Each structure stands twice: as structure tokens, then as C-alpha cells.
Amino acid sequence: MKRWSIVLVLALLASGSVFAETNWQAVEYFKLSGGLNDSSEETTLDKTETSDLQNVILTPFGGVAKREGFDNINTTTVGASATATGLAFYKQSDGDRFLVGTFSNGGTDTIQKMDYGGGSAGPDLVFDDVTGGLSLSFADDNLADFATAQDFLIIEDGVGTTAPYILSGAANIAFPLAGSPPNATIVEFHKRILWLAGLSTARSRVTFSNLDSVLTWTGTDTIEVETDDGQNITALKSALDCLYVFKDASIWRICGNHRDDFVPEQMVRGIGTCSNNSVVVINNQFIFTTCQGDVAVYDGGITVQIISTKIEGTIAALNRDRFDQAVAVAFDDGTGDEDYYVSLSASGSSTHNRVLVYDTFHRAWTKFVGIAANAMATYELGTLQDALMFGNYVGDANRYPNTDADDSAAISAYYQSGQLQLDIPYEKIFRLAQVFVNQESGSTNLTFEYRLDFETTGTTSSISLAGSGSLWDTAIFDTDTYADLTTVTGRVEGFRTCDFFQWRVSNANASQPFLVKGARIWLE
């Protein structure tokens, strides 16, 4: 079990104990879970919010921790230039499990399948090519869609001129879906029926298979979700006992149990999604990226709320032309709630290199860099514990979280407060900062920086998070250790006054985690 450390990282002390200074005042920050807010002026932020952060997660109790890293699932790459365009966890009713991926590889495009070991063993770490006789042709931005139906995995490669494929766990080969289904880009299994949309010649049409037979299709089993309204169907999701149909500027639902009572109803006008892969259901609500570059939550009725208002600065720095390529999953990283992870591209980038995370417990945002996720899904480890897998641009599927490094590379993480008046709206002298952190083993360090009156570069101090755990003694604010609490004091000579104060913690190394519980700032 990790031990809490109190790290006194900056001190302007003439002599003696801080408690002797009766004119010193302490301001405490022990709820850091307000998340990123780069839309508001830094001087107006709530003290729970951060003006900037990177590669940290919000803990349930209100602290911030450096995110964990990732490592490859497959031991041999599919191809050095192969791009994962889709990933799926495929589980059959008898318990057999597989990982399946589609990979674009410059004309040698493939469907790959990874088996699981017996019993509680996890994936066997080897992708096998199950493309068979299929002639596949899709690009990096043709994102695949998957549906498990009647113990088959239905695969649509994201190209509007192709019909879906079918994969059976018992056969190591994929085949065209039988029964002459139409071309599509989107597949969804709902109420024992397979639904298709994204037809290249009928963008407002939904087609459905026969009940309990994904291999049987009747040509008249189609539904026109409005026609010639200037919109295309962009997503299908089964939820709340209905099939929800997203267009780029509206949301519809189709309820009913058979072909005779399927009726489309328009629920929302003026907002929709451009990315099927961005739509995720968490706690019976839809979260998705909009065509306008926002992130929204939809209750399944008539209410849509934009939840990305506080991160407009981050969104402005993204490549808006690639919002139709957004890829998202719902994932519980062990904190007890499912969060929304969406992969996007930075401005000027033609590949995904940013992951925005919406913490549904705190209703707050964080952001990750260093994860190039063109495809994402969740899957079972051998212990039935879930992990997040993402596919990159060099032929790998990766597991997150796993280890404290990104495929052996460093993780640069930081948390930065707003411009604070520290509850004292007049000029004051900064004296001391205390940062409460987890004690870590090894040579883990944390850099604490403070900036006065809008400095872009402040004063830094590097401190060790390792502790010796010695017995309580009589030392006061020096480098001694108290029981299982490590106290380290760093000193900065001289006095400086300020109106505004900003603090920042960071670590840019591999295998050096940190968890900050809070901070206490002393002023005079």
C-alpha cells in the first residue's frame, strides 16, 4: 500500500517554525477535481479547476494522478505501416473470446483475429490473418464498425460500396455476409435483427434483416428516415429499448418489435453527429461529438446538453476537419465509473494524437497526449477485468492502462492551477507551499513550480517522493520523516510580493507515477 507524503517544496523561511509566524495565512486546495477549464479567463477559475493539464486523471477523492502507460498486446506487428481502422472484442455465448481488428496497409488490407488461451487466460498475443479470399480495399480513415449477432461477428469496413462481412469464432476466415444485404458503413444488432445504414446510394435509409436471421434479407425491409433533407444517417445505436438513428443535424428513434410496427420518430432537430464511432452509451445516456466540434450528452428523449463548454481552448487547437473520424469508448479505469474517452487530431495533424477524457463522476475534462488511437474498444483480460485497447498507425493494438510508460517511452504529465488571488484580494508575500502526495518507491521526483503575477516561467523545485518511514521525532519542517509521512523542505531565498499566484506540478519521466492529493499555500 502506498503511503501518504507531505512534501514541503518551497519555503521562504528566515528561521524557526512556521507556526511561530502568527501573521502567516494558509489557503488550502484539497479538491482538484474541477478538471480543465481553458475557456474562461484564468483569474476567474474556480480553485478546483485547472487552466491546463496533460496526462493526468482525476481521482474519486478529488486528487490528480499521472495516468498510467500502455504496452503492445500483439508481440508481432501486423505491419510497420499498417493502420488499425477498427477493433472489437468478440465473445460468443459459450464463453469463447477473440480480439478482432481491421488494418489498412497500403493495398494489403486485412482482417486480423487474436485467440484467447483456455480458462481464465488472456489473449494469446498473436494476430492471425483471417481475410481469406476477401479482396479488401479501405483507407486509414475508413473506420470499421462491428456487431455481435447470433454468435457471429458482423464487420463493415467503413466503405460505402461494400456489404458487411461475417466472422465465426469456429472458422478462421471471414466471408461476405450471405443473403444479399445492401452496401453499408454502419451495422447494429437490435431486438434480434441486424440493422444497416450508410448506403452509398441511399444515405437516409435503414435496412434490416429478418428476425433471428442475419443471413436473410427481404428487399422491402427498409425505413426511410426522412428523405432529401440535406442530411445523412451517420450512426445507429441500440439503447433504451429503441434503435436510435443519428443524422448530422438531427436524432431519430425507431421503436417497435417487428417490421409492421417500426415507426421513425424525430426526437431532436438541429444537432447530431458526423461520427458513428464517437457515439457511446454511459448510464443510459448518449455521449457523442457533434458536427460543430462540440461534445454533447443526450438523454434519449428531447434534451441535448453540450458538455465541452469548458474546453473550447482545447477544441480550438484540434483539426476540426477530422471530427467525422472521432473514435470513442466508455471505459472504467478502476475508479468505479465509466468515463468517455474520445480520440481526435491536433490542428495540422492528419492522424489521431489527442485523447479527451470526460470524467462522468466529477463531470470534468482531462486530456492525454502520446496516445495515437485510430481505433478503440474495451476488452476482457484473462481475469475478466476490462482494459482499453487502441490501434495505432504502426500495426499494433495496445493495452491501456499497463505499466508506467508509453511502450517504454516517458509520459509527460502536469497539472496547473488558474491565476489565484488566494482569498486575499490585496498584495501579499508568498512564503511556503505544501504539496500532499503519495509516497512512491524508487527515485520518483515531482517538480513544483510557482509563478507570480502572470509569469510564463516561474521558480521550480525538484523533490523526491521516496520516504524512509522513520519514527516520529522532534524535527520541525526540515528533512526528517515522521512515521509513514515523509517531509521534505526545499528553500528559496528572498521575498517576493504578488497579487496573483499560480502553481504547477509535473513529471516528464518514464516509470515515475505521482498522485497529488492537495496543496496548502502560506502567505503573509
Side-chain angles (χ1 to χ4, degrees):
M1 178 180 294
K2 295 180 177 179
R3 292 183 286 185
W4 283 107
S5 304
I6 306 176
V7 182
L8 310 187
V9 296
L10 301 171
L12 299 175
L13 299 177
S15 62
S17 167
V18 97
F19 298 110
E21 302 291 341
T22 57
N23 58 336
W24 287 21
Q25 301 180 53
V27 183
E28 297 188 339
Y29 293 86
F30 285 94
K31 186 178 181 182
L32 310 177
S33 55
L36 179 61
N37 184 347
D38 55 16
S39 299
S40 303
E41 169 60 43
E42 288 188 354
T43 59
T44 66
L45 299 190
D46 186 270
K47 68 180 185 179
T48 67
E49 297 174 336
T50 170
S51 60
D52 198 9
L53 50 63
Q54 175 177 290
N55 287 333
V56 297
I57 63 171
L58 309 176
T59 68
F61 59 77
V64 290
K66 188 176 184 179
R67 71 162 173 85
E68 293 186 58
F70 63 83
D71 208 350
N72 295 347
I73 298 174
N74 50 310
T75 53
T76 302
T77 180
V78 174
S81 59
T83 295
T85 61
L87 291 171
F89 172 65
Y90 170 31
K91 186 174 185 177
Q92 296 183 305
S93 57
D94 62 1
D96 287 345
R97 298 171 291 173
F98 311 90
L99 301 184
V100 178
T102 54
F103 287 84
S104 170
N105 196 14
T108 312
D109 307 325
T110 60
I111 299 173
Q112 302 281 332
K113 179 167 71 73
M114 183 181 294
D115 299 323
Y116 274 65
S120 62
D124 67 10
L125 310 183
V126 177
F127 272 127
D128 300 307
D129 190 337
V130 294
T131 310
L134 295 175
S135 180
L136 304 180
S137 180
F138 49 86
D140 292 358
D141 290 342
N142 293 131
L143 301 182
D145 196 19
F146 304 88
T148 301
Q150 298 175 242
D151 263 357
F152 299 119
L153 183 67
I154 311 301
I155 306 169
E156 173 47 56
D157 61 14
V159 179
T161 56
T162 62
Y165 316 115
I166 187 169
L167 178 67
S168 169
N172 287 319
I173 193 167
F175 293 95
L177 182 62
S180 300
N183 297 336
T185 57
I186 306 167
V187 296
E188 185 75 348
F189 191 56
H190 170 71
K191 290 202 168 180
R192 298 153 54 195
I193 294 171
L194 184 63
W195 301 74
L196 305 180
L199 285 69
S200 58
T201 57
R203 294 293 189 177
S204 292
R205 180 179 300 166
V206 177
T207 304
F208 54 94
S209 73
N210 283 14
L211 182 68
D212 289 330
S213 179
V214 300
L215 305 180
T216 306
W217 298 80
T218 302
T220 56
D221 284 346
T222 64
I223 298 174
E224 300 296 333
V225 184
E226 204 61 78
T227 55
D228 300 326
D229 61 351
Q231 300 182 46
N232 299 323
I233 293 176
T234 53
L236 298 177
K237 296 298 171 184
S238 175
L240 305 175
D241 203 41
C242 293
L243 180 73
Y244 282 79
V245 182
F246 288 74
K247 303 182 85 171
D248 43 60
S250 60
I251 304 174
W252 301 66
R253 72 180 181 188
I254 300 173
C255 300
N257 297 299
H258 50 78
R259 60 166 60 92
D260 296 329
D261 63 5
F262 290 143
V263 177
E265 302 174 277
Q266 183 171 349
M267 309 303 297
V268 174
R269 178 186 295 273
I271 192 168
T273 188
C274 286
S275 171
N276 175 64
N277 285 279
S278 80
V279 185
V280 172
V281 179
I282 300 178
N283 297 329
N284 287 326
Q285 292 185 311
F286 301 87
I287 304 181
F288 59 94
T289 60
T290 73
C291 296
Q292 293 73 38
D294 300 309
V295 183
V297 59
Y298 169 51
D299 67 358
I302 61 173
T303 303
V304 178
Q305 178 185 6
I306 302 298
I307 59 174
S308 56
T309 306
K310 289 186 176 182
I311 57 169
E312 290 177 355
T314 295
I315 290 176
L318 298 175
N319 186 342
R320 299 287 285 271
D321 291 337
R322 286 181 52 80
F323 258 71
D324 60 344
Q325 304 298 316
V327 178
V329 294
F331 178 60
D332 178 5
D333 61 4
T335 58
D337 62 305
E338 283 193 317
D339 298 329
Y340 180 73
Y341 285 67
V342 58
S343 181
L344 296 158
S345 304
S347 178
S349 175
S350 60
T351 58
H352 285 341
N353 53 10
R354 294 289 185 273
V355 175
L356 306 184
V357 182
Y358 181 68
D359 186 308
T360 57
F361 179 74
H362 293 297
R363 299 183 181 181
W365 287 95
T366 63
K367 64 181 178 182
F368 295 170
V369 302
I371 295 178
N374 198 54
M376 290 199 293
T378 57
Y379 74 105
E380 289 181 1
L381 301 175
T383 59
L384 301 183
Q385 177 186 354
D386 283 346
L388 187 155
M389 64 173 167
F390 69 90
N392 59 22
Y393 299 89
V394 290
D396 292 322
N398 298 281
R399 170 186 165 184
Y400 169 85
N402 190 32
T403 77
D404 291 316
D406 284 349
D407 194 15
S408 301
I411 302 172
S412 178
Y414 60 81
Y415 174 96
Q416 176 178 295
S417 75
Q419 295 288 345
L420 309 169
Q421 285 195 311
L422 300 169
D423 300 334
I424 305 174
Y426 47 80
E427 194 172 72
K428 50 266 182 184
I429 302 173
F430 168 65
R431 289 288 193 173
L432 177 76
Q434 295 171 270
V435 179
F436 295 77
V437 301
N438 244 23
Q439 178 178 302
E440 303 290 347
S441 60
S443 58
T444 300
N445 294 298
L446 185 69
T447 298
F448 183 93
E449 178 181 357
Y450 73 88
R451 302 171 181 177
L452 306 182
D453 291 336
F454 306 99
E455 291 177 322
T456 57
T457 302
T459 302
T460 62
S461 178
S462 179
I463 55 174
S464 172
L465 303 189
S468 62
S470 64
L471 296 177
W472 186 282
D473 62 14
T474 58
I476 299 176
F477 290 98
D478 57 17
T479 57
D480 287 317
T481 300
Y482 305 89
D484 64 348
L485 299 177
T486 302
T487 304
V488 180
T489 302
R491 294 174 183 261
V492 177
E493 298 297 329
F495 302 99
R496 291 186 62 193
T497 60
C498 64
D499 283 319
F500 290 92
F501 178 89
Q502 184 175 58
W503 62 279
R504 174 186 174 108
V505 289
S506 62
N507 179 286
N509 301 311
S511 303
Q512 292 195 8
F514 67 76
L515 192 162
V516 178
K517 185 177 182 182
R520 179 182 293 127
I521 312 299
W522 293 85
L523 307 132
E524 182 179 8

